[in-house]
Amino acid sequence: KKTLNSWNYYFKPVSEYSLDEVYKSKNILLTLSKFYSDVDFKYQIQDSKRLIQIYEKYIKIDTKIKRIVEILEKKLFQQKKILGVHFRGTSYKYGRNPYPATIDQMKNQIYKIMKSDNYDKIFLVTEDIKHFDALKKEFNDSLIYLKNSFRSTGKVAFTTYPRLNHRYKLGRDLLIETCLLSKCDGYIDTKGNIRGAVLNMNLNNKQKRYLIDNGFNPGLPLLG
């Protein structure tokens, strides 16, 4: 889009002022490059009334991306009852964040939910190739997903650049997947920012939510 302002890759501007104008101004306030998870986010942004108000007032997704979401919803979901599954892995196993689900734990929960609530298909979002391969083998034709989404092991997605415009595509695809998860009839994952975004978007106000809560990881790496 002929800009280095990455916000405008995915969202509409939040004000009438451009970054060039702001940086030429005398009185501006710049925050640190820090994620304030301990102050307000706490991996559950949907619980902050202040953040919800900010989201509803300022955060507007780019029109072209919204159109892509609509096309993919029609193509993939086909008016069937869909269980959305967000299954974090890779770097989530190493940092200070909620513990991710294990593969067996996620498979068992999906079987239980599919049986009790009669979902037709599973829409899977995962950046972990091991998780993807395991669920693809287990659920086969019941699984739908975005074929072009990048999947890897370890921290590869955030430390290497295996394709042109890799970081842009990571953000674009995850935003699209998050919107699609919010449109699903059911939704399961662990605590995290994607869950907060899905719940805040609330694109299906009849969505049934499920949660795998394994507690909080103080920063110890997980094996496997």
Side-chain angles (χ1 to χ4, degrees):
K1 296 186 177 181
K2 299 180 180 180
T3 177
L4 295 179
N5 180 359
S6 57
W7 178 269
N8 291 336
Y9 300 161
Y10 315 111
F11 302 98
K12 296 179 180 179
V14 296
S15 77
E16 61 189 61
Y17 303 105
S18 69
L19 278 185
D20 288 339
E21 290 180 272
V22 171
Y23 288 142
K24 291 176 182 177
S25 301
K26 292 182 179 179
N27 300 308
I28 62 174
L29 178 66
L30 298 176
T31 64
L32 299 173
S33 296
K34 178 180 178 181
F35 184 71
Y36 294 91
S37 59
D38 294 331
V39 179
D40 203 354
F41 281 63
K42 298 180 180 177
Y43 303 95
Q44 298 183 72
I45 59 178
Q46 73 276 7
D47 293 338
S48 170
K49 291 182 179 179
R50 185 165 69 92
L51 290 178
I52 291 174
Q53 290 172 348
I54 291 172
Y55 170 79
E56 292 177 345
K57 183 175 181 180
Y58 294 107
I59 312 303
K60 308 298 179 184
I61 296 174
D62 177 77
T63 302
K64 186 175 290 186
I65 288 182
K66 288 179 68 175
R67 179 60 181 151
I68 292 172
V69 171
E70 292 170 358
I71 292 171
L72 288 172
E73 178 190 14
K74 185 176 181 180
K75 179 181 179 181
L76 296 175
F77 293 179
Q78 300 178 349
Q79 296 184 328
K80 295 184 181 295
K81 190 174 182 180
I82 307 295
L83 173 65
V85 176
H86 178 231
F87 193 6
R88 272 302 308 267
T90 61
S91 61
Y92 218 58
K93 300 175 182 178
Y94 305 96
R96 293 182 66 252
N97 41 248
Y99 279 114
T102 66
I103 290 175
D104 284 342
Q105 190 177 27
M106 184 60 81
K107 287 194 296 188
N108 290 337
Q109 287 298 312
I110 291 174
Y111 272 123
K112 181 179 178 181
I113 293 168
M114 292 285 285
K115 182 178 180 180
S116 63
D117 293 333
N118 298 311
Y119 291 97
D120 300 311
K121 295 282 186 176
I122 303 160
F123 174 61
L124 175 63
V125 173
T126 181
E127 86 296 354
D128 192 308
I129 189 63
K130 291 182 179 179
H131 289 179
F132 175 81
D133 289 342
L135 294 194
K136 184 71 173 70
K137 180 179 179 181
E138 189 74 21
F139 297 103
N140 198 11
D141 293 339
S142 295
L143 208 67
I144 54 179
Y145 48 88
L146 299 190
K147 293 181 180 179
N148 293 331
S149 288
F150 183 79
R151 301 177 181 93
S152 64
T153 58
K155 301 180 181 180
V156 173
F158 310 105
T159 56
T160 62
Y161 298 82
R163 54 183 174 166
L164 183 65
N165 297 326
H166 174 62
R167 292 300 292 264
Y168 159 72
K169 291 175 181 177
L170 279 181
R172 177 200 63 191
D173 294 346
L174 185 55
L175 178 57
I176 290 170
E177 288 174 323
T178 302
C179 291
L180 289 170
L181 285 172
S182 191
K183 287 176 173 286
C184 290
D185 301 286
Y187 174 62
I188 180 171
D189 70 350
T190 54
K191 292 180 180 179
N193 294 313
I194 296 301
R195 184 178 183 84
V198 167
L199 270 56
N200 274 4
M201 288 178 177
N202 200 32
L203 300 178
N204 181 351
N205 58 17
K206 295 182 179 179
Q207 184 179 80
K208 189 169 183 179
R209 279 105 185 217
Y210 315 86
L211 175 67
I212 296 175
D213 187 356
N214 289 334
F216 194 86
N217 183 357
L220 301 175
L222 300 180
L223 300 178

